[in-house]
Amino acid sequence: MRADDSAGEPAEHARFARYLAELEQVADADEIELVSGVLADPDPVMARAVVVRHLDRRAAELHPEPVWEEWAEGTARVVTGHPFLVRRLEEWDLFRAVVLRLPWHRDDLLAASDWFQLKAADGTNPEALALLDESGRTKRIRNTARESLRRQAGG
């Protein structure tokens, strides 16, 4: 890409890149306010795409940490009214429960999205893996869970 190619780039693409960069560098204390600002962008599809990327990155970092609860509560408040983002955050909370072996419900795992089931199927929780091996929504999820169980068994 030449340096002058960005001049022809659509405005929403430039905002998307700028928002991602800002969210990667934002101080924890200012994160929720910035996410709220992104969600107020005039292009709601682009804004939600930015926020889900950010949410996935932050949740991957924070899910095993004690600050998870506070972060998740603040994030939940700002994504209210955005069903996809609410569901993604709920699934990260379920992922955290599965990974950390906290209480979780079988029905929640089975009702979760393909994205979540595949993520959990690549994990290490034997109860979740057995359930997904047996009842995962897609063949890929079932096969991934089966392979994860084999790895755990050492073969």
Side-chain angles (χ1 to χ4, degrees):
M1 179 168 145
R2 295 187 330 246
D4 61 348
D5 284 346
S6 64
E9 183 176 32
E12 65 272 10
H13 291 197
R15 288 195 318 275
F16 182 92
R18 188 185 79 236
Y19 287 148
L20 282 179
E22 289 173 2
L23 285 164
E24 285 178 10
Q25 298 174 15
V26 70
D28 291 349
D30 300 325
E31 179 182 6
I32 298 303
E33 183 179 345
L34 181 54
V35 169
S36 181
V38 170
L39 288 172
D41 188 274
D43 184 339
V45 173
M46 182 275 302
R48 284 190 300 268
V50 168
V51 172
V52 78
R53 273 187 143 173
H54 174 69
L55 195 151
D56 285 348
R57 183 181 59 79
R58 287 291 282 164
E61 292 170 2
L62 297 176
H63 77 271
E65 304 298 329
V67 298
W68 168 264
E69 304 273 338
E70 182 181 346
W71 176 83
E73 287 173 12
T75 302
R77 282 191 300 275
V78 78
V79 300
T80 298
H82 301 276
F84 178 78
L85 298 174
V86 169
R87 180 165 184 184
R88 184 63 137 241
L89 184 59
E90 289 170 348
E91 288 188 342
W92 271 107
D93 202 45
L94 178 58
F95 180 77
R96 179 178 190 266
V98 169
V99 167
L100 298 179
R101 311 236 170 123
L102 301 170
W104 54 276
H105 298 283
R106 175 185 202 281
D107 292 343
D108 293 339
L109 185 82
L110 294 177
S113 69
D114 291 357
W115 170 85
F116 173 84
Q117 285 192 5
L118 190 58
K119 188 165 188 56
D122 198 33
T124 60
N125 184 311
E127 184 182 354
L129 294 175
L131 180 59
L132 291 171
D133 174 27
E134 178 184 314
S135 302
R137 186 172 298 109
T138 68
K139 185 175 183 178
R140 181 177 178 199
I141 291 165
R142 292 188 300 275
N143 287 342
T144 301
R146 192 168 302 123
E147 184 57 36
S148 294
L149 284 167
R150 275 194 208 115
R151 276 195 314 267
Q152 281 189 353

